[in-house]
Amino acid sequence: MQRVENMHSNRDEKATLVVDIGNTNITCGIYQRDQMTWFARFHSTCSRTADEYFALLKPLLPDVSEEYIGSIALASVVPELTRIWQHLFQKYLKASVWELNALSVPGLSYKVPDPSFIGADLIANAYGAWQKYQSSCLILDLGTATKLQLVSAEGCFEGTAIAPGLKTGASQLFEKAALLSPIELTAPAVLLGTNTRDALLSGIVHGHAFMLENYVRQVKLHYFDYKDIRVILTGGIADLVKPLVPSADIVDKTLTLDGIHLAWKNSH
């Protein structure tokens, strides 16, 4: 599955291609003058070669070329796909590649002496929230895993909680329960269902939202000295969950890509 959005762009300027490789999706953005002018999403699979990924990428953006792309910023949590995309960059774009990790991001500090084990997506989210909102932020990233992370107004990555993602948990339920069939995840109509579909929607979606809401409450109680913590929802199902998590202040669907771009920009 792939999606592309084209926005106004200035072809006279070199662009930065930002790529975020996750376990479920690969998202790509083109940035010019600090604005995202193009966006696309691909399904993550290690069965595709660099040539096959470029064959998907090229028709979506005719301007993908050595002349148009001046630099590349990459964050990945899938090492095998990192190698595939590095080969794609080398073979087809020939632009310099900067890879985000805990040691390459300027200014962010950590509670551990060796932060090299921290996932690139967590670092990108923390850096993006810190730079964009200039305050303490609790980020709720709803993807393959649901990740909650706190970054202080001073740029300290305080820590993370990781739980199975909403869709991941639902898939496991449908796989293990013989009498339950997969359903499309939508906003629940009721709290307690009188049919299987409504019962599943409430348990899966409401249950996840209640977990998030209580986590936000507990984090704010535990980190009581961090004033005015902004709660940011990001990830593929952020829009679905937002109405059910009243403590969430912002839905920021481009937080991860923006964080990668800002980290690349501020490190150069």
Side-chain angles (χ1 to χ4, degrees), residues 31-259:
Y31 285 78
Q32 289 179 290
R33 294 183 177 179
D34 296 334
Q35 296 294 318
M36 186 189 293
T37 59
W38 173 90
F39 171 85
R41 177 183 289 118
F42 305 92
H43 178 66
S44 296
T45 174
C46 295
S47 63
R48 288 194 183 117
T49 65
D51 296 335
E52 289 170 329
Y53 271 116
F54 188 73
L56 293 174
L57 185 64
K58 178 65 175 175
L60 300 179
L61 186 65
D63 286 325
V64 169
S65 66
E66 183 179 355
E67 293 74 27
Y68 182 65
I69 303 297
S71 53
I72 298 165
L74 170 68
S76 175
V77 296
V78 187
E80 187 172 349
L81 281 173
T82 304
R83 291 189 288 271
I84 291 170
W85 277 75
Q86 288 277 21
H87 181 52
L88 182 157
F89 300 145
Q90 182 180 18
K91 183 174 182 179
Y92 291 104
L93 299 181
K94 299 179 176 61
S96 62
V97 181
W98 176 87
E99 188 168 352
L100 180 146
N101 58 55
L103 303 179
S104 67
V105 171
L108 204 63
S109 61
Y110 306 89
K111 289 287 190 177
V112 294
D114 180 11
S116 59
F117 69 92
I118 300 174
D121 53 345
L122 295 172
I123 296 166
N125 284 342
Y127 193 81
W130 176 45
Q131 291 289 305
K132 290 178 72 173
Y133 300 106
Q134 301 291 307
S135 67
S136 297
C137 294
L138 180 61
I139 304 124
L140 315 180
D141 187 355
L142 310 179
T144 306
T146 289
K147 293 157 288 189
L148 301 91
Q149 56 187 125
L150 179 65
V151 60
S152 74
E154 293 73 36
C156 180
F157 189 146
E158 293 290 337
T160 306
I162 302 175
L166 188 153
K167 289 185 177 181
T168 302
S171 296
Q172 286 294 307
L173 175 63
F174 297 137
E175 181 181 331
K176 299 296 184 182
L179 295 180
L180 297 180
S181 300
I183 59 171
E184 180 184 357
L185 295 177
T186 59
V190 294
L191 185 61
L192 297 176
T194 55
N195 58 68
T196 302
R197 181 180 181 276
D198 285 347
L200 283 169
L201 281 177
S202 183
I204 293 168
V205 181
H206 271 138
H208 211 75
F210 294 160
M211 180 269 287
L212 292 172
E213 186 68 13
N214 191 52
Y215 240 117
V216 171
R217 185 181 303 111
Q218 293 300 320
V219 167
K220 288 185 175 181
L221 286 172
H222 189 79
Y223 293 89
F224 60 90
D225 53 334
Y226 284 21
K227 305 302 182 185
D228 301 320
I229 296 176
R230 304 188 79 173
V231 180
I232 303 167
L233 277 173
T234 191
I237 59 168
D239 290 327
L240 171 63
V241 172
K242 174 64 172 70
L244 306 174
V245 184
S247 62
D249 300 305
I250 303 163
V251 173
D252 187 339
K253 300 295 286 290
T254 63
L255 178 65
T256 308
L257 287 177
D258 289 345

